[in-house]
Amino acid sequence: MLLEQTPLSGVVILTPQRFGDARGFFSESWNQQRMAAQGLEYNFVQDNHSMSAEVGTVRGLHFQAPPHAQDKLIRCGQGALFDVAVDIRKGSPTYGQGFGVELSAENGRQLLVPAGFLHGFITRQPHTEIIYKCTDYYAPDCDGAVAWDSCGVNWGHDVARDGAVILSDKDAAAPRLADFDSPFVWKG
């Protein structure tokens, strides 16, 4: 497994090795024992899977607040998406900064997004599927969002060129980062 550090401390790109032949490929997307040996110790308890039919669908930027904050390991099962993490840990030297990476069924990359970061994505291909592991169960009372276009992230989507993005009602009504009071604190 290839691990790449990003400019945001704790956000890591993981690229599993693929073993292929005429039938396709095999890949080990997570191995708790091997990852712990590399300093990545996570106890994932829930897997989520969603499909977005249209190109330009944005889901996010989402978080789950303490006491049910979630670390997430995200991958693309079909199609392609641009995956984003934004630091929302009060006092962090990278507070409000985002990082994005292309995840696709073809490249096999995964993004590890720790608690204290917003997470979201925009689809690049129709019928894109995202699959992700979480370290805590979904807790509706801890669920939150920040406006996808309020963090200075270059999503690679030009509304004039590519058309309007597709948002849920929840995401369309999310507060802007400047108006958001984060429940997370950086611990240095």
Side-chain angles (χ1 to χ4, degrees), residues 58-65 70 72 118-119 132 138-148 166-176:
V58 172
R59 294 184 189 245
L61 294 162
H62 299 153
F63 68 94
Q64 192 160 288
Q70 296 175 322
K72 298 176 181 177
L118 299 169
H119 172 254
Y132 57 102
Y138 175 66
D141 56 322
C142 296
D143 187 41
V146 171
W148 74 281
I166 301 164
L167 297 169
S168 69
D169 291 342
K170 169 190 161 183
D171 290 343
R176 302 193 62 72

Side-chain angles (χ1 to χ4, degrees), residues 63 86-90 95-96 116-118 177 180 182-184:
F63 68 94
V86 176
D87 188 349
I88 56 167
R89 300 167 298 166
K90 290 179 184 175
Y95 180 87
F117 289 81
L118 299 169
L177 182 63
F180 171 68
S182 178
F184 297 98

Side-chain angles (χ1 to χ4, degrees), residues 27-173:
S27 178
E28 185 176 87
S29 59
W30 178 258
N31 180 308
Q32 190 169 15
Q33 185 176 33
R34 288 184 188 165
M35 292 299 98
Q38 296 193 49
L40 300 177
E41 297 191 46
Y42 295 92
N43 182 28
F44 294 112
V45 298
Q46 179 176 316
D47 281 10
N48 299 325
H49 184 165
S50 75
M51 190 279 293
S52 297
E54 302 293 328
V55 173
T57 298
V58 172
R59 294 184 189 245
L61 294 162
H62 299 153
F63 68 94
Q64 192 160 288
H68 297 288
Q70 296 175 322
D71 306 294
K72 298 176 181 177
L73 179 63
I74 301 106
R75 65 187 173 96
C76 180
Q78 177 176 302
L81 57 96
F82 186 70
D83 205 50
V84 172
V86 176
D87 188 349
I88 56 167
R89 300 167 298 166
K90 290 179 184 175
S92 168
T94 56
Y95 180 87
Q97 293 180 27
F99 173 81
V101 63
E102 182 98 5
L103 304 181
S104 69
E106 185 176 317
N107 71 24
R109 292 172 126 189
Q110 302 177 98
L111 189 64
L112 179 65
V113 179
F117 289 81
L118 299 169
H119 172 254
F121 65 90
I122 186 169
T123 57
R124 298 276 195 245
Q125 293 180 9
H127 305 287
T128 290
E129 294 185 10
I130 185 171
I131 302 161
Y132 57 102
K133 299 180 165 309
C134 301
T135 57
D136 204 335
Y137 301 102
Y138 175 66
D141 56 322
C142 296
D143 187 41
V146 171
W148 74 281
D149 60 350
S150 69
C151 302
V153 172
N154 179 358
W155 293 80
H157 186 91
D158 183 331
V159 172
R161 179 191 70 218
D162 302 322
V165 298
I166 301 164
L167 297 169
S168 69
D169 291 342
K170 169 190 161 183
D171 290 343

